[in-house]
Amino acid sequence: MESAAFVRSAFGQLGLQLFERGWLSSNNVLFRASRSTPATIVDTGYGSHEAQTQALVQEALGDVALERIVNTHLHSDHVGGNAGLQAHWGCETLVPEPSFDLAWRWDETRLSYEHTGQTCPRFKVDSPLEAGEILRLGDYGWKVAAAPGHDPDAVLLYQPDSGVVLTGDALWEQRLAIVFPALEDDRAFDDALSALDLVERLAPRVVIPGHGRAFTDVAGAVQRSRQRLHQFIRQPERHLDYAERALLMFHMLEHRRRTVSELLTWLASTPVFVRIVARRGLETGEAEINARRVVDSLLAGGQLQRHGEWVTLPGSPG
């Protein structure tokens, strides 16, 4: 796979650099070492971009070792670089406390990778990240707060002196992350709304999201996300549509080029889509019909292109 594009931004006062990655890999937030804290990265991107993640960190740190990884949640696009960074630097790794035991035991049936048809190299975990604790990053303390919704175990990190918050996938500037628990229980939308309420109460001046650029129009982003969530609460099937399309696009960002047959087979057999088919009240035998509908909708919208039996992203060779 080719390297992902990235944008580098520096927040000098806080001793951090933001690597804004493409949508296959989450953003990385790198904190320089201080007299009392080690060099730390928050979230590490997808496994396919592991080499680029390591190169970015190496260039930024020079001779200083990366000693710590902190993950906002354990989705593959946020932790896929963990194993490679651990192998290179022997990093200590902190993950949200509710996910700690799953990662410690590497419970494949309950971690999300098999469920979503995504890959993640196994990594070790050292310590749980507790909601309410103060985590030292650079020269400052960052408050850890639970931010369930997109992922039930997710956390965000808030620095009150500067008003900067790392929201992970709880809040983006324009788009809305899939609320994965709501694919099985519509009541999970309430958790996503509560995470937005939390960001609103914190009243940050700057949001560094898990995907996309850092931004300051926090009220606007919260309002847009809240409106979208209320639409999904009124029409849950729209969230199912959104999830199917987003997961397929993530798959294509990883693979770039697939045959129609490969895509239909992948969609019809991947556990998350099997559950969505059941939520729609469809029979098991209708899974391929549903899969074809998803592929056709993205082809019709121009998000994907077809070249004979091959499906590609726009601009990719057929």
Side-chain angles (χ1 to χ4, degrees):
M1 158 151 318
E2 70 251 34
S3 295
F6 74 95
V7 176
R8 188 196 311 266
S9 304
F11 292 71
Q13 176 193 357
L14 293 173
L16 72 84
Q17 291 187 61
L18 165 64
F19 300 118
E20 182 189 334
R21 308 291 290 275
W23 285 90
L24 183 61
S25 279
S26 70
N27 291 341
N28 317 133
V29 182
L30 182 65
F31 289 85
R32 67 174 178 239
S34 72
R35 277 182 262 179
S36 59
T37 60
T40 302
I41 191 169
V42 177
D43 291 338
T44 64
Y46 196 59
S48 298
H49 293 153
E50 177 186 297
Q52 186 191 30
T53 302
Q54 183 174 317
L56 289 170
V57 174
Q58 183 79 69
E59 180 185 1
L61 293 181
D63 294 334
V64 176
L66 180 71
E67 296 186 50
R68 188 169 56 175
I69 296 168
V70 172
N71 293 127
T72 59
H73 60 293
L74 298 193
H75 286 170
S76 59
D77 56 326
H78 290 253
V79 301
N82 283 15
L85 295 177
Q86 288 175 350
H88 188 76
W89 279 290
C91 310
E92 175 192 20
T93 300
L94 285 65
V95 302
E97 186 277 331
S99 295
F100 181 82
D101 185 59
L102 298 181
W104 178 267
R105 293 184 288 107
W106 204 252
D107 187 337
E108 292 280 5
T109 62
R110 295 181 61 194
L111 290 168
S112 64
Y113 319 126
E114 182 180 299
H115 179 66
T116 56
Q118 297 167 9
T119 59
C120 182
R122 183 171 183 171
F123 57 90
K124 67 178 180 67
V125 292
D126 298 286
S127 302
L129 197 58
E130 304 271 0
E133 75 172 278
I134 303 299
L135 180 68
R136 295 291 298 183
L137 297 167
D139 292 320
Y140 293 87
W142 291 71
K143 184 172 183 179
V144 180
H150 167 70
D151 178 85
D153 299 343
V155 299
L156 58 76
L157 304 173
Y158 176 61
Q159 209 298 301
D161 299 317
S162 62
V164 175
V165 62
L166 312 184
T167 56
D169 289 348
L171 177 67
W172 298 341
E173 184 176 19
Q174 298 292 340
R175 301 167 64 178
L176 180 72
I178 300 166
V179 183
F180 279 98
L183 299 178
E184 299 185 36
D185 185 346
D186 294 340
R187 291 173 295 182
F189 288 125
D190 292 339
D191 285 337
L193 288 168
S194 294
L196 296 180
D197 293 342
L198 170 62
V199 174
E200 201 167 48
R201 288 195 304 273
L202 293 175
R205 291 190 285 275
V206 179
V207 167
I208 300 179
H211 299 268
R213 66 179 186 176
F215 60 91
T216 57
D217 182 15
V218 182
V222 169
Q223 180 183 23
R224 287 186 291 272
S225 292
R226 192 174 279 141
Q227 288 174 342
R228 192 75 183 273
L229 283 169
H230 282 300
Q231 289 176 346
F232 289 154
I233 290 169
R234 291 192 298 270
Q235 298 175 290
E237 70 279 1
R238 291 185 62 176
H239 182 247
L240 300 180
D241 292 342
Y242 176 62
E244 288 177 319
R245 290 161 61 92
L247 286 164
L248 178 55
M249 288 303 296
F250 187 95
H251 182 76
M252 288 300 297
L253 284 169
E254 179 181 9
H255 293 277
R256 315 296 294 185
R257 185 173 182 262
R258 304 288 274 173
T259 66
V260 174
S261 176
E262 287 171 336
L263 282 183
L264 295 179
T265 299
W266 183 79
L267 282 164
S269 61
T270 300
V272 65
F273 291 102
V274 173
R275 293 189 183 185
I276 290 174
V277 166
R279 281 297 306 276
R280 291 187 183 281
L282 301 175
E283 299 294 332
T284 304
E286 297 176 279
E288 185 168 332
I289 297 172
N290 185 66
R292 188 172 293 277
R293 178 189 59 78
V294 178
V295 174
D296 287 347
S297 71
L298 290 168
L299 289 169
Q303 292 92 347
L304 296 176
Q305 294 180 344
R306 184 165 181 174
H307 309 271
E309 283 303 304
W310 291 97
V311 176
T312 70
L313 296 171
S316 298

